[in-house]
Amino acid sequence: MTPVHATFGEVAAERRIASVPLSHVSVELGHLYMEDFEAGPDRLREQFRRVAPWLATVRSLWRERVPGGRARVSTCFLVDDYFSRFSTPAELVPMVLEAAAEHDLSIDYLARESACAQSGGVELARLVEDRLVDDPPPETDGSRPPVKETGWLCNGSRSPRTAPLQAMGKARPWEPPAQNAKRGHSIFVDVELWDEKGPRRTWSCPFLAAVWQLLRLGLLRSEGRVPLPPVALDGGWPRDWDGLPAVVRLNPQAAPFSAYTTLSVLSPRFLPVELAVRTILSQVAVDDEVLRQVATRSESEGVRLEEELVDRISYVFV
């Protein structure tokens, strides 16, 4: 018999994980929903008026933080075309850019919220769902269905159901919900990630916002590839949202879309949503190799990153 020599390697070792260019911070200048559009251009102007001083502050702080002062700061803007379709890119985008320019703001990237669910054959929401890791409370008995079955995610233990009182039995006393990592007292959060009506699944606003943060942090991969890289638009603005790329590069000289950290300047009405976003992200297991890539590059630049993912995300509510 002729001996056969074979070489076996770990699948993980053979994977090729693409890297992504990174800014130091990605600043979100706002979300746009139907009610904002219906309120007219003045609503946008007021939003940008409030945002402008904070962007200037962020640029200044990062120049002090980065060796040599060469801070890479990119800006982005998100339009909701998932929960409601309103106006058209041809009508809406010039209005947004004009309102921003009135306050000396430049939007580097514009993104569609529906792309956080699915775009170009890539189901980003499913990618993130597959990386959810349950955070069971202490002394759990496994009776609670996993998040992938229920579509609900929480940061602790829910109040147990009270069963009907049996004859000659004792009623189980009510117990409050409890946060896993509480500091003195619990702040219990229970988030609906999606609902399903027949074959159709509708992702919740907090879940899509969590996908949006991971995209901005450059931490998502689809089969090793970077999903939804920004593209420049050829020609004029389309008349339909589906004709618009998922992430459009508006500024050819812009710093990279994804970044080591993110800052979102938002209306206070988004505060409950962002609390839910942080709860979700605390239970997402990002690919180890992607995390190593980002950590190695940040260290080479002398930029210290927080270990916890949610601590790389910050907000200003104005």
Side-chain angles (χ1 to χ4, degrees), residues 34-78:
M34 186 190 302
E35 58 265 32
D36 302 305
F37 175 74
E38 291 176 340
D42 286 343
R43 171 75 70 86
L44 275 173
R45 294 189 184 99
E46 179 62 16
Q47 164 72 9
F48 290 133
R49 183 188 69 80
R50 297 180 179 183
V51 166
W54 292 104
L55 178 59
T57 300
V58 169
R59 291 187 188 277
S60 176
L61 290 173
W62 271 96
R63 289 191 190 103
E64 295 175 4
R65 180 176 176 182
V66 175
R70 299 185 182 90
R72 299 186 301 276
V73 180
S74 66
T75 62
C76 59
F77 192 87
L78 184 68

Side-chain angles (χ1 to χ4, degrees), residues 85-295:
R85 290 288 176 104
F86 57 93
S87 186
T88 67
E91 178 186 9
L92 179 66
V93 178
M95 182 180 74
V96 171
L97 299 181
E98 181 180 339
E102 289 182 15
H103 296 281
D104 296 323
L105 292 175
S106 174
I107 300 175
D108 296 326
Y109 301 93
L110 184 136
R112 297 188 293 113
E113 188 163 9
S114 64
C116 295
Q118 178 179 355
S119 180
V122 179
E123 295 186 274
L124 287 186
R126 293 281 185 181
L127 290 179
V128 176
E129 179 195 352
D130 290 342
R131 291 202 162 271
L132 290 175
V133 178
D134 287 293
D135 183 19
E139 301 180 6
T140 185
D141 59 6
S143 61
R144 188 176 76 188
V147 61
K148 294 180 183 180
E149 292 183 13
T150 64
W152 283 84
L153 176 146
C154 68
N155 64 347
S157 57
R158 300 176 174 95
S159 294
R161 286 186 174 182
T162 55
L165 183 63
Q166 302 295 323
M168 304 300 292
K170 291 184 178 180
R172 181 178 182 176
W174 178 81
E175 297 177 23
Q179 179 185 0
N180 281 350
K182 66 180 180 180
R183 294 185 178 181
H185 297 81
S186 288
I187 302 175
F188 181 76
V189 181
D190 210 349
V191 186
E192 186 175 20
L193 306 184
W194 64 77
D195 61 26
E196 293 176 331
K197 296 178 181 177
R200 175 178 171 77
R201 172 178 288 190
T202 301
W203 301 97
S204 70
C205 179
F207 194 74
L208 292 182
V211 176
W212 171 236
Q213 288 285 0
L214 290 168
L215 194 63
R216 291 169 62 201
L217 288 169
L219 297 178
L220 290 180
R221 299 293 185 275
S222 175
E223 297 181 347
R225 296 187 294 271
V226 177
L228 311 186
V231 298
L233 187 66
D234 293 327
W237 296 104
R239 304 295 304 177
D240 184 80
W241 288 106
D242 291 330
L244 191 69
V247 182
V248 182
R249 181 193 295 271
L250 300 174
N251 178 5
Q253 281 74 47
F257 168 70
S258 297
Y260 294 131
T261 65
T262 70
L263 171 70
S264 297
V265 188
L266 302 170
S267 163
R269 76 180 193 269
F270 290 107
L271 199 155
V273 172
E274 297 304 326
L275 172 60
V277 168
R278 296 175 70 84
T279 303
I280 295 167
L281 291 178
S282 69
Q283 298 183 43
V284 173
V286 175
D287 187 288
D288 287 339
E289 178 58 30
V290 175
L291 290 174
R292 277 193 292 270
Q293 283 183 357
V294 174

